[in-house]
Amino acid sequence: MHMAAHRGAVDSNKGLRLNTAAQVLPLASGYLVNIVATPLIIAHLGVDEFGVWAVTGAIAQYGALLDLGTTRSVTRFISLHSSNGDVRAERATRTIAIAIIGALWSLLLCLSVPLAYLLSIPISIVTTHEIWVVLAASISMLIASMFSRAIAGFAFGHKRMIAMNIALSLGNIATIGGGLIALVQGGDLQDFALANAAGAAFGLMVVVIVLIVTEHECKLARPYVSETREFILFGLKGQATSVSDLFVLQFPKIALGIFVSPNAAGLYEIGSRIAMGARSLGIVAIMTLTPYFTEAYAREKVEGLRIQYYKYSPIYTFLAVFPIVAIVAVAPTGMHAWVGAAGDASVVIVLVLGLSFVINLATGTQTIAASAMNQMGRVAKSSMYASFASLIFTPIFTYLLGQAGALISVALAMSIGAITEFMYIGRILERRALTAARAPLRAVVIPVSLCVPVFVGLLFVPYTSRVQTLLWSTGGLIAYSGMVLTTQLIRKSRRKRTSLQSKDSRLAVESADSILSESIGGT
């Protein structure tokens, strides 16, 4: 019996590791392709038109607010209904998700015409028609991505993530590849936008085919009113996180484009693109825990969830923050190696956004725990505080201080959101919120501390070419990774030694008690 339980635990841990690697794959592939593609895009479009592409893309992202939290809810409800053996409810969840996203597409395309006209007032370097084409293409890319992620959630809820994530990776590559092909063929901004949308549509087709092949059962069912209401209400609570991300991260880009210039928005996009890509890797790694935390709570309520939280929170928080801190560490030379002179102007953006994202990612496992307990209302409160802070600070600070003001607003809003979330969710897991917060926060200390000497050192290294900055960045990344790995191994060795000493002490006490009992019994 004990061996069977142990074997089950080992299989579960192995499955979790495989699913984590699979979940990171789409982001990693898209991230790497973006790193390669961005310098080529800037070289063909220029920073100004790249800024227009960034602003229209940011505005299109606000359309995601109207999906009622669908893409976040699918995995959770499929996992919940699967645990209960309710096949009809699973099929109803698929129907709800597809219907909501399909209706959203029609609505956003209708809104794109007046939005294009309004954008043409502050952005005069392109025509109203060009802005509409680029905006409509951005909306289509968004909807294709939402369909792909929702359909992938049909498999993720069953803890089957490998094949679907490979499909999502191919879709990401197709989206970016389509735009690059258009530029290489001499296309302009409109051609680039339309080719990106075509690539996204191709990626969606790949995801659908993989779902049909791997799941073998992808039927739909008419949902009950109560099921639809529960799905939407849960999604709306979780949607506050998306609202927060859009206000905190995309609003500064729009403000820079309006109050400063498209060039300033383009520079922000360059810095934020690489920082947000690394953050996305961390988010995906943490979200792998969703079905595992949900299952633990369904079986053993808060006590079972608490065990899983303390077991996985330090590990997955470290995995989440390491990529973004590594990017920050080598930013002084890495940004120049990536996009040349435009990268030099984006180093501060990477630094501020990167450290703000570390604070944000430290709350990740608590967000997943809240989702498992159906307590996303608490997450919604903290996200709304961050959104309101951004809504107030961003236009004022950006108008007065330009780029510096935009970055200050991001740092303030993210800090407010993280602190309030630690307070709200931590009090469910423990009596004192700080007790629950220690687990993820301790995992952040070493990566951030070791980032400082590498970042400062690379600020003062001499270079005259992008090749030299690439070599310095590679060396800095190897040094940083080596220091972090060595420190983690030392800590692990100490913990193991302490654990063995505690075990030996416990055995010694038990042995002494046994001898004393025997002695008393003999007497």
Side-chain angles (χ1 to χ4, degrees), residues 10-127:
V10 171
D11 291 342
S12 177
N13 289 337
K14 182 179 179 181
L16 180 55
R17 288 194 294 269
L18 287 174
N19 284 337
T20 300
Q23 286 282 73
V24 171
L25 182 60
L27 269 297
S29 61
Y31 192 41
L32 291 174
V33 174
N34 255 316
I35 288 176
V36 174
T38 299
L40 300 175
I41 295 170
I42 294 173
H44 281 83
L45 295 180
V47 177
D48 287 344
E49 286 199 349
F50 184 72
V52 174
W53 171 245
V55 171
T56 54
I59 290 175
Q61 288 294 322
Y62 278 84
L65 298 179
L66 302 176
D67 81 335
L68 308 179
T70 298
T71 53
R72 290 176 177 269
S73 303
V74 168
T75 300
R76 190 258 182 188
F77 278 93
I78 293 292
S79 175
L80 182 64
H81 296 319
S82 177
S83 298
N84 296 331
D86 193 341
V87 176
R88 192 212 60 79
E90 285 188 55
R91 295 172 178 174
T93 297
R94 297 171 188 156
T95 304
I96 296 168
I98 291 172
I100 290 174
I101 298 174
L104 178 60
W105 192 7
S106 301
L107 174 63
L108 292 180
L109 285 178
C110 292
L111 292 175
S112 65
V113 175
L115 282 173
Y117 174 76
L118 292 174
L119 277 176
S120 66
I121 298 173
I123 300 176
S124 57
I125 62 173
V126 291
T127 66

Side-chain angles (χ1 to χ4, degrees), residues 496-512:
K496 186 176 181 180
R497 187 162 58 249
T498 302
S499 177
L500 289 174
Q501 289 173 350
S502 299
K503 184 177 180 181
D504 290 341
S505 300
R506 187 171 63 253
L507 290 174
V509 171
E510 290 175 356
S511 177

Side-chain angles (χ1 to χ4, degrees), residues 44 55 105 136 192 200 212 240 272 285 294 312 332 362-363 378 420 514-515:
H44 281 83
V55 171
W105 192 7
F192 170 72
I212 294 172
S272 65
T294 302
Y312 291 117
T363 67
R378 294 173 180 255
T420 52
S514 176
I515 293 172

Side-chain angles (χ1 to χ4, degrees), residues 376-518:
M376 288 302 289
R378 294 173 180 255
V379 177
K381 287 182 181 179
S382 62
S383 298
M384 292 310 295
Y385 285 133
S387 300
F388 285 131
S390 179
L391 190 62
I392 294 169
F393 295 143
T394 298
I396 297 173
F397 288 178
T398 304
Y399 179 76
L400 295 176
L401 303 174
Q403 184 188 89
L407 295 176
I408 291 171
S409 69
V410 172
L412 285 173
M414 284 214 154
S415 298
I416 291 170
I419 292 170
T420 52
E421 183 166 343
F422 276 131
M423 291 171 57
Y424 287 136
I425 308 303
R427 288 173 182 169
I428 305 177
L429 296 169
E430 298 286 353
R431 290 184 178 179
R432 296 181 60 196
L434 184 59
T435 302
R438 284 193 185 116
L441 288 177
R442 284 173 178 170
V444 169
V445 174
I446 289 177
V448 173
S449 300
L450 295 178
C451 166
V452 176
V454 178
F455 181 89
V456 174
L458 290 178
L459 279 175
F460 298 100
V461 298
Y463 60 85
T464 56
S465 67
R466 291 174 69 175
V467 174
Q468 288 181 334
T469 56
L470 179 60
L471 293 175
W472 279 116
S473 302
T474 303
L477 184 60
I478 293 172
Y480 173 72
S481 301
M483 288 191 296
V484 172
L485 180 60
T486 302
T487 306
Q488 290 291 82
L489 289 175
I490 292 172
R491 287 187 67 189
K492 184 177 181 180
S493 176
R494 287 177 178 173
R495 282 197 301 267
K496 186 176 181 180
R497 187 162 58 249
T498 302
S499 177
L500 289 174
Q501 289 173 350
S502 299
K503 184 177 180 181
D504 290 341
S505 300
R506 187 171 63 253
L507 290 174
V509 171
E510 290 175 356
S511 177
D513 288 344
S514 176
I515 293 172
L516 181 61
S517 298
E518 291 176 1

Side-chain angles (χ1 to χ4, degrees), residues 221-240:
R222 183 176 180 178
Y224 299 140
V225 174
S226 58
E227 290 173 328
T228 306
R229 184 188 303 113
E230 183 184 8
F231 184 93
I232 292 175
L233 288 176
F234 179 87
L236 287 174
K237 293 176 183 178
Q239 189 72 336

